[in-house]
């Protein structure tokens, strides 16, 4: 159903169409992720996992090669009829690379900048905000790239704080990762650590932008006869060299 709906959105046939539909889906890839999904759910369902979603896309063209919205559409116990690839969930740490990229893009930071992975307390209109790392430990001063590589929570919040909540939120909207139906203040520094709810489809598209050197990127079920990369740049290709160490 998701495939037909998307195909129609992209200019495909109407509801009464009965002929074959050509898609970018690859049978081998689809079979592979079906097996991976079944194995993953067998392992993690005993620990409370209800379902799974997987998307495999061509990093160059955006063509969707494999797509799983749930492990089993007919599994009523685990709401298999819901397309979890299209349902918003907490972004967790998945947006950190984009904020670090924005820090470089705006010359607020450089790759050699130092971020403090130390206890942090932020006062805002709601009171005192005291975030912590997932392991409840602190690594001290970290190079910018190392802080990202280790997915540290405190440094990521420092990056968003320095860039600014408003600028960070506008950046997410430009990437299609925020709808704009809420204000930046609603999320606050939680932007960096999962406060924004996104879909797997949105996330794959955003990472496709990174894979294409910052150029706009779209997902499609429709095979392309001829691919032309977007000229619309959302993230710059190069690293900033003008920012001082901070």
């Amino acid at each position: 159903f998701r495939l037909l709906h998307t195909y129609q959105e992209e200019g495909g046939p109407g509801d009464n169409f009965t002929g074959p539909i050509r898609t970018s889906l690859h049978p081998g890839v689809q079979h592979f992720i079906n097996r991976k999904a079944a194995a993953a759910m067998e392992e993690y369902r005993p620990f409370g996992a209800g379902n799974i979603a997987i998307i495999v896309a061509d990093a160059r063209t955006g063509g969707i090669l494999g797509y799983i919205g749930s492990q089993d559409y007919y599994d009523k116990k685990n709401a298999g009829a819901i397309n979890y690839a299209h349902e918003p969930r907490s972004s967790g740490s998945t947006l950190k690379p984009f904020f670090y990229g924005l820090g470089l893009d705006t010359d607020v930071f450089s790759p050699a900048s130092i971020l403090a992975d130390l206890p942090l307390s932020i006062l805002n209109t709601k009171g005192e905000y005291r975030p912590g790392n997932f392991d409840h430990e602190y690594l001290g001063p970290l190079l910018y790239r190392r802080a990202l590589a280790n997915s540290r929570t405190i440094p990521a919040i420092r990056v968003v704080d320095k860039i600014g909540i408003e600028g960070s939120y506008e950046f997410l909207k430009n990437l299609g990762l925020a709808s704009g139906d809420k204000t930046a203040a609603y999320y606050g520094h939680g932007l960096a650590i999962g406060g924004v709810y996104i879909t797997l489809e949105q996330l794959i598209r955003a990472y496709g932008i990174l894979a294409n050197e910052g150029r706009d990127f779209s997902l499609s079920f429709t095979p392309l006869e001829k691919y032309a990369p977007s000229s619309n740049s959302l993230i710059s290709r190069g690293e900033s060299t003008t920012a001082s160490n901070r």
Side-chain angles (χ1 to χ4, degrees):
F1 298 119
R2 174 70 180 140
L3 170 59
L4 181 58
H5 176 69
T6 305
Y7 192 70
Q8 291 169 351
E9 287 181 339
E10 295 174 359
D15 294 335
N16 297 324
F17 180 76
T18 58
I21 296 177
R22 292 185 65 242
T23 79
S24 55
L25 291 171
H26 188 287
V29 173
Q30 188 65 43
H31 178 66
F32 175 78
I33 63 174
N34 284 345
R35 288 190 290 108
K36 287 295 183 180
M41 293 314 302
E42 183 177 353
E43 180 178 357
Y44 293 109
R45 188 160 276 155
F47 298 98
N51 228 307
I52 188 170
I54 302 175
I55 296 176
V56 178
D58 187 319
R60 185 179 65 91
T61 67
I64 295 176
L65 306 176
Y67 190 107
I68 292 177
S70 68
Q71 185 194 359
D72 182 0
Y73 180 87
Y74 297 101
D75 181 3
K76 293 183 179 180
K77 180 181 178 181
N78 295 290
I82 294 176
N83 179 6
Y84 291 97
H86 200 55
E87 287 295 314
R89 297 192 62 189
S90 170
S91 52
S93 293
T94 60
L95 303 187
K96 289 178 182 176
F98 300 100
F99 294 124
Y100 279 82
L102 180 61
L104 297 175
D105 222 16
T106 54
D107 286 347
V108 175
F109 296 97
S110 80
S113 293
I114 302 297
L115 295 171
D117 186 12
L118 297 168
L120 177 64
S121 178
I122 298 174
L123 293 177
N124 55 39
T125 56
K126 298 179 182 179
E128 185 181 18
Y129 177 49
R130 301 183 67 182
N133 290 314
F134 66 92
D135 57 2
H136 307 293
E137 296 182 359
Y138 302 97
L139 301 182
L142 294 174
L143 279 171
Y144 197 73
R145 55 168 63 97
R146 188 174 174 223
L148 171 58
N150 285 274
S151 191
R152 305 302 291 172
T153 295
I154 300 299
I157 292 174
R158 292 186 189 277
V159 169
V160 168
D161 184 62
K162 194 71 174 181
I163 296 170
I165 303 297
E166 291 288 346
S168 298
Y169 188 53
E170 285 299 315
F171 182 59
L172 291 186
K173 288 197 292 184
N174 290 339
L175 293 175
L177 292 170
S179 62
D181 59 339
K182 293 181 174 64
T183 65
Y186 173 86
Y187 297 103
H189 293 84
L191 285 171
I193 53 173
V196 177
Y197 276 56
I198 59 174
T199 71
L200 181 58
E201 292 178 358
Q202 289 174 311
L203 187 62
I204 293 292
R205 181 208 169 227
Y207 271 89
I209 293 172
L210 290 182
N212 283 270
E213 300 182 319
R215 293 190 299 268
D216 203 357
F217 180 83
S218 298
L219 294 176
S220 175
F221 280 107
T222 307
L224 302 174
E225 299 297 334
K226 186 176 181 180
Y227 175 71
S230 172
S231 59
N232 183 27
S233 181
L234 299 176
I235 305 173
S236 68
R237 294 176 57 184
E239 295 179 333
S240 169
T241 56
T242 60
S244 60
N245 291 352
R246 292 175 169 85

